[in-house]
Amino acid sequence: MALLRLLRQKIPLRSLTINSSNRSLNTLVLAEHEGGSVKASSFNAVAAAQAFGNETSVSLLMAGSGPSLHAAANQAASSHPLISQVRINSDKFEHPLAEPWAELIRLVQKKGSYSHIITASTSFGKNVIPRAAALLDVSPVTDIIQITGNQTFVRPIYAGNALSTIRYVGSGPCMMTIRPTSFPFLSAESNFDIAPVSNIDVSTLDSEPIGRSTWLKQTSQDTERPDLSNARIVVTGGRGLKNAENFKMIEKLADKLGAAVGATRAAVDAGYVPNELQVGQTGKIVAPDLYIAFGVSGAIQHLAGMKDSKVIVAVNKDADAPIFQVADYGLVADLFQAIPELLEKIPEKN
């Protein structure tokens, strides 16, 4: 009864009081790089760090070895010269294994005492942050789409059908993964002095391999198509393609449009394409200018990964397919007739 009276009187609870202090924050951004280039999602994480305000001090954690690390670090410095770097040159961090990277974050946090640690909600970030959070005995906040305060964030729940505003009340640091498409990055003018580079001694880490995982190899498709997570146009195929051979039509259309190729979980599970092309709640989250879906029914898991696209075009022979409920343009047609016609009428990409 006492609780009901409190609710009726709308008396605010002390535990929900938000501290609006503008104290300076010290934020560490975990950068992911490959082949000498920083991935765009890491710059989106930088944009998220800057959302805390002008009083925020942002550092970029760059780790790896050899020319690849040097080239990626130079790119990061030229893209945003005011951001300082914590640079670790060691073969231990040449590959994106969660165990050594989590240990590195623990060591860097011990030296830097950061208030926030941020990375993109990519496969790499989702693999490293939970393990690092466990080592630091904190709870991570994942898949953030908006930062509304030093400790308050908005994240999707129920496969993106609802948004939840949460407040982090744990001890520091606040560890976060952000949805890259929600934090567009604008490169700064490069007429400033380059921010300093800090080097941290990692010799205290055991010389033996950390953890039980061992790096074997990495395989990827040799293609000039844009990265799926950041492409302006995405062409996606679903179970309706029926087999891997038919999926090549999607690839041909994407090449003509200069687009990235995506796939549903059903298509990936059936072996049509590798899982790195999966779009959805358990795949990649995309928000391109144009999203074209062929043979995609529109399962809630898939919609969670693409419904923020600016323009959605769906082609499906089932007029009742759920994909049409979110599509801006829908065509009820057989994709085996529609795709060849498009391939014939669309000119080659210059």
Side-chain angles (χ1 to χ4, degrees), residues 14-34:
R14 289 184 180 179
S15 61
L16 297 181
T17 301
I18 297 178
N19 181 8
S20 59
S21 172
N22 291 324
R23 62 184 179 86
S24 178
L25 301 179
N26 191 15
T27 303
L28 179 71
V29 176
L30 176 58
E32 183 181 1
H33 62 92
E34 183 179 12

Side-chain angles (χ1 to χ4, degrees), residues 118-301:
I118 304 176
T119 191
S121 188
T122 59
S123 297
F124 174 69
K126 289 186 287 187
N127 196 22
V128 172
I129 284 295
R131 184 178 293 272
L135 292 176
L136 294 171
D137 196 25
V138 299
S139 297
V141 186
T142 60
D143 209 21
I144 293 171
I145 63 171
Q146 186 180 359
I147 295 172
T148 57
N150 292 352
Q151 306 289 349
T152 54
F153 316 100
V154 178
R155 66 183 301 274
I157 57 176
Y158 301 120
N161 288 303
L163 299 179
S164 174
T165 300
I166 60 176
R167 182 187 178 213
Y168 181 76
V169 295
S171 59
C174 177
M175 303 192 71
M176 311 155 47
T177 63
I178 58 95
R179 184 172 291 189
T181 54
S182 299
F183 296 92
F185 175 77
L186 299 178
S187 179
E189 297 292 335
S190 57
N191 56 350
F192 299 98
D193 292 333
I194 300 298
V197 175
S198 302
N199 292 282
I200 292 181
D201 182 14
V202 295
S203 61
T204 55
L205 296 179
D206 192 351
S207 59
E208 297 297 323
I210 301 173
R212 298 181 178 180
S213 299
T214 302
W215 181 265
L216 296 179
K217 64 178 181 178
Q218 177 177 345
T219 58
S220 59
Q221 293 181 322
D222 185 13
T223 176
E224 295 182 357
R225 298 188 193 108
D227 180 68
L228 176 59
S229 300
N230 304 289
R232 292 182 58 253
I233 305 173
V234 174
V235 181
T236 292
R239 195 201 307 268
L241 272 298
K242 297 183 179 180
N243 56 54
E245 185 65 27
N246 290 335
F247 210 95
K248 292 180 180 179
M249 294 191 299
I250 296 291
E251 297 172 351
K252 290 180 181 178
L253 182 59
D255 290 339
K256 274 204 166 186
L257 295 172
V261 173
T264 64
R265 179 171 181 173
V268 170
D269 289 347
Y272 301 171
V273 290
N275 63 358
E276 65 188 35
L277 300 184
Q278 181 181 330
V279 174
Q281 187 178 14
T282 56
K284 293 185 177 179
I285 307 296
V286 300
D289 294 336
L290 175 61
Y291 188 88
I292 311 175
F294 292 93
V296 175
S297 63
I300 188 171
Q301 187 272 348

